[in-house]
Amino acid sequence: MATQKTFEQSMKLLEQIVEQLESSELPLEKALKKFEEGIKLSKYCSEKLDEIEKKVTILLQDQDGNYIETPFMSEND
Amino acid sequence: MATQKTFEQSMKLLEQIVEQLESSELPLEKALKKFEEGIKLSKYCSEKLDEIEKKVTILLQDQDGNYIETPFMSEND
Amino acid sequence: MATQKTFEQSMKLLEQIVEQLESSELPLEKALKKFEEGIKLSKYCSEKLDEIEKKVTILLQDQDGNYIETPFMSEND
Amino acid sequence: MATQKTFEQSMKLLEQIVEQLESSELPLEKALKKFEEGIKLSKYCSEKLDEIEKKVTILLQDQDGNYIETPFMSEND
Amino acid sequence: MATQKTFEQSMKLLEQIVEQLESSELPLEKALKKFEEGIKLSKYCSEKLDEIEKKVTILLQDQDGNYIETPFMSEND
Amino acid sequence: MATQKTFEQSMKLLEQIVEQLESSELPLEKALKKFEEGIKLSKYCSEKLDEIEKKVTILLQDQDGNYIETPFMSEND
Amino acid sequence: MQKKIYTVSQLTKDIKQLLEDSFPIIWISGEISNFSMPASGHYYFTLKDSQAQISSVMFRGQNQHLKFTPEHGMGVTGLGRISVYEPRGTYQIIFEYLEPKGIGSLQIAFEQLKKRLSDEGLFDDAYKKTMPCLPGKITVITSPSGAVIHDIINISKRRFANAHIEIIPVKVQGKGAEKEIVSGIKLLNTRADSDVAILARGGGSLEDLQAFNSEDVARAVFASRIPIISAIGHETDYTISDFVADLRSPTPSAAVELVLPVKTDVKQTIAEYYKKLILLITGQIESHRICIKNMTNQLTDPKKRIDHLRFKSDDFYQRLSRIFFKTLEQSRERHMWRTNELKLKNPGMQIKNYNNEIKRYNEILVNSLKSLMYTKKSGLCVLNGKLNVLSPTAILDRGYSITRTVPDSIIVKDAKNVSSGQDLEILVSKGLINCQVKGNPQNGNPKDL
């Protein structure tokens, strides 16, 4: 998906939304939209973190359990 | 519907109607018309608020509870 | 008497009749006719008031109870 | 005597007759005739008044039944 | 003598007869005649009066019984 | 001799990765990748240490003049 | 023949060339006097004997390697070259090497070989190979007997228990040692399965270490593709091999330390990196989490606004209803007031007035007629009375009577006027007598009667 933003972009967006909501008196409907967007971004970022944390956990389990053959393969591919 | 006013516009209109009714003594029928209009606006605003509050509540519940698959899909559609 | 008259117009007419009855010594039959007219106007106004009150009551009940779909339709019709 | 006469005309006539009878000494037969005429007029006027009074009473009662019961009774009693 | 005479004419005649009887020494026959005539006139007038009284009573009773009771009766009784 | 090279490179890389993660605020996704790489490197290096076979040998020439690696018994052992 | 005239510079240049070409490098011996060492670290002194003296210098780069410090009055033998310093027109010897007087030819040979190899560049750092940080296999070229190999094995075990050590046994002194060392190094490179080699020998005299000062060994070391550490003799002993080797170790045991890491240290380093990696990534995740949480908390804004707007909207609604009901109430009051007014203005009063009027008229009518009737009645009564008084029949009461013909009612005054049988009526006081004439009436005067 082309619009799949990175975590950092999402965080930046979330920050902007927080600032917008904080600073300017947005019309209610717009504020709702922004809020909705913010919640979605927050969720998205949170999930992304979960995902990454899970990945980290798996990596660490692998470390203790399984054997990894070629550490540089991934880099060269 | 083209005349679907925003919440802010509706509130402004409602305020103007209240002020008109308060400041000047209108003939009964005119007052009725204004009153009717005002009640409709008030109803509209009230419902809009309910709607928005519901949305916010759902969003907040979602945040704590459920999983949302594609946070940016809805935006692009 | 046409029913198209507004409450205010009817009240004005009623006032005129009262004045006529007050000021000039009308022949009895004319006075009776005026009086009759006045009573009818008064009745009409009274009904008009009841009607408006009923309308308002319904409007206010609607507000608390039922849902109204398109608040601005009536204004555009 | 034609019934086309208005109440006021009848009263006028009655007054004239009364004056004639009162002021000058009429021949008996003429006086009787005048008397007869006067009584008839008086009867006619009286009936007319009753009729009007009834109408007024009905109008007043019609207005809303109990509002003012019998405006004349109290005054005449 | 015709009955077309009015009450007043009859009274006048009666009066003349009385005067004639009073003033001149009429031969008995004439006097008797006059006298007879006078009696007749008197009777006529009296009847006339009764007749009128009756008529009035009827007129007044006609009116509606109680309004004017019977102004003549009471006095004549 | 190849393994010796990669061990060295791996250690160097591992050190660099740690430094990168330490010094700069890498985007999360990149940081994860670096982390993954680092974990793999650390695993790899750790394994490499144990991979070396413990032995003390001596090269002795057989009758044909070929050198044969044979266990060396230290006098002190 | 034309006279050649030199400039000072030309002459000095020619002298410089002459001197420096004639004495490129020479051994010279003499006695040191006026020795000084300024901050630069170079040695300045005069070398003299009983008849002559020459200015001398030994630069820091060279004097560092001296195993002794020169002093005033010391007899020395040194290797140097003549150098002319043109700006001052002086010459001096620049020493490469110095040693106390009385050293043997072995030493001289050593120095000469060292010098040669050095000039060839065999000692250059550019050729020095780097040591592996974790050698998979270490070859030790040394004597399989003796303390050296045991020390090496023991230290290796201590540092890296599972180290792979291979020994290429060689003679390290005496006849044939040179050859064996050279072929050992060649064997090392032929097999090419080691990561590093240690060329080792215990301490000994210059003669004992002779094999390691040989040119063949030096060249074999230089030629090796596998890095070689030299670990020969004691810390103070230098051999040519030491200079050529990729790394010089002061002692054989120190060579192991140079080439073999302590396994637990490496393990610890890796573990530290590993820990740091986890710490860093989890730290980053955690800080992002906190950041998200903070931002999300800051997001819960609209509810407050909704509450506020609801208040506002409700207020409008209430005001609206209040005002409108007030308007309605006022309209009702207005209407009621007007209606009352209307009712008060009803035609009742008029009707009452008319009624009174009619009543009055009726009374007048009746009274008028009554009085008229009364007048008429009384008039009639008077006339009746008078008439009665004047009645001609009044005299009848006194006994008179009146006789009249019937039906003509002619009063009979003369009897002649009647005929027999004629009907007459006689009026008396009370009543009327009907009668018939019986006979012929007589004429006469009533007076006759």
Side-chain angles (χ1 to χ4, degrees):
Chain A
M1 192 177 59
T3 51
Q4 189 115 34
K5 283 167 185 112
T6 68
F7 178 80
E8 262 73 24
Q9 285 171 325
S10 301
M11 286 290 276
K12 193 89 210 154
L13 265 174
L14 181 54
E15 198 181 339
Q16 283 169 4
I17 283 165
V18 166
E19 271 167 22
Q20 279 172 10
L21 278 174
E22 234 165 17
S23 63
S24 66
E25 266 291 304
L26 288 174
L28 190 59
E29 275 113 340
K30 259 199 184 153
L32 174 68
K33 260 220 164 130
K34 286 281 168 196
F35 176 73
E36 194 174 350
E37 207 182 324
I39 288 292
K40 278 182 183 168
L41 281 167
S42 152
K43 223 174 282 185
Y44 174 74
C45 289
S46 228
E47 284 161 16
K48 201 90 193 172
L49 278 180
D50 287 346
E51 204 180 288
I52 281 167
E53 200 164 32
K54 206 174 168 187
K55 257 184 185 165
V56 166
T57 306
I58 288 171
L59 277 171
L60 294 178
Q61 281 178 341
D62 255 21
Q63 165 88 357
D64 301 332
N66 305 334
Y67 187 77
I68 288 175
E69 309 127 67
T70 47
F72 299 106
M73 284 301 178
S74 61
E75 207 180 17
N76 292 346
D77 284 346
Chain B
M1 192 176 57
T3 51
Q4 189 114 35
K5 282 163 185 115
T6 68
F7 177 81
E8 263 75 20
Q9 285 172 325
S10 301
M11 279 294 275
K12 194 85 213 157
L13 262 174
L14 179 55
E15 196 176 353
Q16 283 169 3
I17 283 166
V18 168
E19 272 166 16
Q20 272 174 22
L21 278 172
E22 261 172 353
S23 62
S24 65
E25 207 150 292
L26 292 173
L28 187 61
E29 272 106 346
K30 250 189 191 162
L32 175 66
K33 243 194 178 157
K34 287 279 168 198
F35 172 76
E36 203 175 344
E37 203 182 327
I39 287 294
K40 277 181 185 166
L41 281 167
S42 151
K43 223 173 282 188
Y44 175 73
C45 288
S46 201
E47 283 162 14
K48 201 88 194 173
L49 280 176
D50 286 347
E51 200 182 293
I52 285 169
E53 191 167 27
K54 206 173 166 188
K55 254 184 185 166
V56 167
T57 305
I58 287 172
L59 278 171
L60 290 175
Q61 280 178 341
D62 253 23
Q63 177 162 31
D64 302 331
N66 305 333
Y67 186 79
I68 286 179
E69 309 127 66
T70 48
F72 297 105
M73 283 299 185
S74 61
E75 209 179 11
N76 293 346
D77 285 346
Chain C
M1 188 184 59
T3 46
Q4 281 96 320
K5 272 169 192 139
T6 67
F7 175 80
E8 302 304 329
Q9 287 172 325
S10 303
M11 282 296 279
K12 193 89 209 154
L13 268 172
L14 182 55
E15 196 182 340
Q16 285 168 3
I17 283 166
V18 169
E19 271 168 22
Q20 281 171 11
L21 281 173
E22 213 166 28
S23 63
S24 67
E25 265 294 304
L26 287 173
L28 189 58
E29 274 115 336
K30 252 191 190 160
L32 175 66
K33 252 204 171 145
K34 286 283 169 194
F35 179 71
E36 193 174 352
E37 204 182 326
I39 288 292
K40 276 182 185 165
L41 278 168
S42 156
K43 218 178 284 186
Y44 175 73
C45 288
S46 193
E47 283 163 12
K48 202 91 191 169
L49 282 173
D50 288 346
E51 199 181 295
I52 284 168
E53 194 164 27
K54 205 173 168 188
K55 220 175 190 180
V56 167
T57 305
I58 287 171
L59 273 173
L60 293 179
Q61 279 178 340
D62 254 21
Q63 166 87 356
D64 302 330
N66 305 334
Y67 186 78
I68 286 180
E69 307 127 68
T70 48
F72 296 103
M73 281 298 185
S74 61
E75 212 182 10
N76 294 347
D77 288 344
Chain D
M1 190 184 59
T3 50
Q4 284 94 322
K5 272 168 190 139
T6 66
F7 177 80
E8 260 73 20
Q9 286 171 327
S10 302
M11 280 299 278
K12 196 85 209 156
L13 266 172
L14 179 56
E15 195 182 346
Q16 285 167 5
I17 284 164
V18 167
E19 272 170 18
Q20 281 171 16
L21 269 175
E22 208 175 22
S23 62
S24 64
E25 200 148 304
L26 291 172
L28 190 57
E29 274 103 345
K30 252 193 189 160
L32 177 63
K33 247 198 177 151
K34 286 286 170 192
F35 175 76
E36 194 174 351
E37 206 180 322
I39 288 296
K40 277 183 184 165
L41 277 167
S42 148
K43 223 178 282 187
Y44 171 76
C45 287
S46 209
E47 282 164 13
K48 199 86 190 172
L49 280 178
D50 284 348
E51 199 181 297
I52 286 168
E53 190 170 22
K54 207 173 169 185
K55 252 183 186 167
V56 168
T57 305
I58 286 170
L59 278 172
L60 288 170
Q61 282 178 337
D62 247 23
Q63 163 108 17
D64 64 348
N66 303 335
Y67 191 64
I68 294 173
E69 304 140 61
T70 44
F72 303 112
M73 289 302 176
S74 61
E75 221 177 342
N76 290 349
D77 283 347
Chain E
M1 195 184 59
T3 52
Q4 284 97 322
K5 271 169 190 144
T6 67
F7 176 82
E8 259 70 23
Q9 286 172 330
S10 302
M11 281 292 276
K12 197 88 205 156
L13 269 173
L14 183 57
E15 207 178 332
Q16 284 167 7
I17 283 164
V18 168
E19 273 171 18
Q20 281 169 13
L21 283 174
E22 239 172 7
S23 63
S24 61
E25 239 349 86
L26 287 172
L28 184 59
E29 267 176 317
K30 251 193 186 163
L32 206 54
K33 235 182 189 170
K34 288 283 173 190
F35 179 72
E36 230 166 46
E37 205 180 323
I39 288 297
K40 274 182 187 165
L41 278 168
S42 162
K43 208 189 262 179
Y44 173 76
C45 284
S46 201
E47 280 166 12
K48 202 82 187 176
L49 280 174
D50 285 346
E51 197 183 302
I52 285 169
E53 201 161 42
K54 208 176 173 184
K55 232 181 190 170
V56 166
T57 304
I58 286 168
L59 272 173
L60 292 178
Q61 279 177 339
D62 246 21
Q63 172 125 16
D64 68 344
N66 302 335
Y67 191 65
I68 296 168
E69 302 139 57
T70 41
F72 298 110
M73 289 303 179
S74 64
E75 223 178 330
N76 290 351
D77 282 347
Chain F
M1 205 173 75
T3 51
Q4 173 247 322
K5 261 261 163 63
T6 56
F7 178 81
E8 232 172 287
Q9 282 175 337
S10 300
M11 281 299 277
K12 194 88 210 154
L13 260 174
L14 182 54
E15 196 182 342
Q16 282 170 3
I17 282 165
V18 169
E19 271 167 20
Q20 276 172 12
L21 277 174
E22 228 165 16
S23 63
S24 67
E25 266 293 305
L26 285 176
L28 189 60
E29 277 106 344
K30 257 199 185 153
L32 177 67
K33 253 207 168 144
K34 287 281 169 195
F35 169 78
E36 192 174 349
E37 204 181 323
I39 289 293
K40 278 181 184 166
L41 283 167
S42 92
K43 223 176 282 189
Y44 172 76
C45 288
S46 202
E47 283 160 14
K48 216 69 198 171
L49 281 179
D50 292 327
E51 214 177 276
I52 297 166
E53 202 183 339
K54 179 194 171 180
K55 51 184 170 180
V56 180
T57 56
I58 184 161
L59 279 179
L60 294 175
Q61 216 169 7
D62 66 1
Q63 287 141 332
D64 300 327
N66 298 323
Y67 285 93
I68 295 160
E69 197 173 349
T70 54
F72 174 75
M73 285 306 175
S74 162
E75 279 160 44
N76 291 351
D77 286 345
Chain G
M1 207 167 141
Q2 203 176 341
K3 201 166 44 175
K4 184 178 179 183
I5 300 171
Y6 287 94
T7 65
V8 176
S9 301
Q10 274 174 340
L11 181 60
T12 308
K13 199 178 175 188
D14 282 359
I15 290 171
K16 179 184 170 77
Q17 200 170 356
L18 188 69
L19 278 178
E20 289 184 357
D21 286 354
S22 305
F23 308 101
I25 192 148
I26 48 147
W27 287 94
I28 183 171
S29 75
E31 191 188 311
I32 288 172
S33 70
N34 300 324
F35 180 81
S36 72
M37 185 179 74
S40 62
H42 309 313
Y43 294 171
Y44 296 100
F45 57 93
T46 306
L47 193 70
K48 65 172 190 182
D49 57 17
S50 49
Q51 277 93 38
Q53 58 180 22
I54 302 172
S55 297
S56 307
V57 65
M58 189 173 196
F59 295 115
R60 197 172 58 148
Q62 281 70 41
N63 68 34
Q64 267 177 352
H65 301 298
L66 287 187
K67 292 177 186 85
F68 70 101
T69 308
E71 54 193 70
H72 184 73
M74 187 185 264
V76 294
T77 304
L79 188 66
R81 53 188 173 85
I82 298 293
S83 158
V84 174
Y85 185 56
E86 288 162 280
R88 292 176 65 170
T90 59
Y91 68 93
Q92 58 266 315
I93 297 175
I94 297 170
F95 279 99
E96 296 284 325
Y97 178 73
L98 266 186
E99 66 183 28
K101 209 174 205 171
I103 299 245
S105 58
L106 205 58
Q107 183 71 36
I108 293 162
F110 169 86
E111 295 298 339
Q112 284 169 335
L113 178 60
K114 188 186 164 202
K115 170 84 171 75
R116 200 148 42 85
L117 294 180
S118 173
D119 287 348
E120 271 186 52
L122 263 64
F123 304 166
D124 282 1
D125 285 345
Y127 296 113
K128 309 278 189 214
K129 291 181 267 297
T130 52
M131 292 298 121
C133 68
L134 180 68
K137 183 176 179 181
I138 302 166
T139 299
V140 185
I141 302 171
T142 191
S143 165
S145 58
V148 169
I149 187 66
H150 287 290
D151 284 353
I152 287 174
I153 290 168
N154 284 336
I155 292 168
S156 295
K157 273 184 187 163
R158 244 185 283 140
R159 291 179 74 84
F160 206 100
N162 55 332
H164 182 185
I165 293 172
E166 177 193 63
I167 301 160
I168 294 179
V170 293
K171 271 178 87 175
V172 291
Q173 85 180 82
K175 210 174 169 197
E178 245 182 75
K179 242 187 179 167
E180 282 193 17
I181 291 167
V182 170
S183 60
I185 291 168
K186 278 186 181 155
L187 180 62
L188 168 76
N189 280 282
T190 310
R191 290 173 66 84
D193 61 353
S194 279
D195 295 310
V196 68
I198 300 171
L199 185 59
R201 194 209 179 282
S205 65
L206 191 60
E207 285 77 16
D208 292 339
L209 303 177
Q210 188 50 43
F212 299 96
N213 282 325
S214 75
E215 188 171 349
D216 287 349
V217 169
R219 290 200 184 276
V221 170
F222 183 76
S224 174
R225 277 167 279 110
I226 290 162
I228 292 174
I229 297 174
S230 70
I232 296 149
H234 298 298
E235 202 170 348
T236 50
D237 298 330
Y238 272 81
T239 64
I240 296 295
S241 299
D242 286 336
F243 293 114
V244 185
D246 297 298
L247 194 66
R248 183 223 176 217
S249 166
T251 60
S253 42
V256 180
E257 284 168 16
L258 285 172
V259 82
L260 199 61
V262 177
K263 189 177 179 182
T264 52
D265 286 354
V266 179
K267 277 215 154 149
Q268 200 179 331
T269 305
I270 293 171
E272 267 164 23
Y273 284 151
Y274 180 73
K275 265 189 208 160
K276 256 188 183 171
L277 281 174
I278 293 171
L279 221 65
L280 287 166
I281 196 85
T282 50
Q284 204 176 343
I285 290 171
E286 210 40 55
S287 77
H288 280 313
R289 255 195 219 297
I290 289 165
C291 199
I292 290 170
K293 204 180 172 191
N294 287 342
M295 288 200 284
T296 308
N297 284 342
Q298 276 170 301
L299 267 179
T300 50
D301 184 36
K303 268 215 165 162
K304 249 197 218 159
R305 252 179 91 189
I306 289 170
D307 286 345
H308 171 75
L309 287 168
R310 214 183 263 300
F311 264 123
K312 206 169 160 189
S313 163
D314 281 357
D315 178 50
F316 286 155
Y317 173 73
Q318 273 163 14
R319 271 159 76 189
L320 201 63
S321 327
R322 206 169 40 226
I323 301 154
F324 183 72
F325 276 116
K326 202 176 132 203
T327 309
L328 189 63
E329 208 42 55
Q330 280 170 353
S331 296
R332 251 194 216 297
E333 270 169 28
R334 206 147 58 90
H335 171 253
M336 208 179 213
W337 188 70
R338 278 264 174 268
T339 305
N340 280 340
E341 231 183 348
L342 177 71
K343 283 180 175 173
L344 289 177
K345 299 291 169 315
N346 70 48
M349 202 57 177
Q350 234 174 320
I351 292 168
K352 194 189 164 197
N353 289 339
Y354 278 125
N355 267 329
N356 287 339
E357 222 172 312
I358 290 168
K359 204 174 176 185
R360 196 169 61 82
Y361 287 156
N362 276 338
E363 269 166 26
I364 294 168
L365 278 176
V366 172
N367 287 338
S368 300
L369 196 69
K370 208 163 55 168
S371 97
L372 184 64
M373 294 272 283
Y374 180 74
T375 311
K376 298 295 176 193
K377 254 187 196 171
S378 30
L380 184 62
C381 206
V382 169
L383 287 176
N384 266 342
K386 276 186 181 170
L387 192 65
N388 280 335
V389 169
L390 294 173
S391 170
T393 57
I395 53 163
L396 298 180
D397 292 340
R398 285 186 274 158
Y400 296 99
S401 62
I402 298 163
T403 307
R404 287 182 302 192
T405 60
V406 175
D408 307 324
S409 288
I410 295 162
I411 294 173
V412 181
K413 286 178 190 169
D414 192 345
K416 287 182 290 186
N417 293 345
V418 292
S419 50
S420 183
Q422 189 178 1
D423 286 336
L424 296 171
E425 57 179 8
I426 301 161
L427 288 160
V428 290
S429 177
K430 284 183 176 119
L432 184 73
I433 303 164
N434 288 310
C435 52
Q436 212 163 26
V437 180
K438 276 180 178 173
N440 263 356
Q442 292 175 334
N443 292 334
N445 206 315
K447 282 159 198 163
D448 295 344
L449 284 174

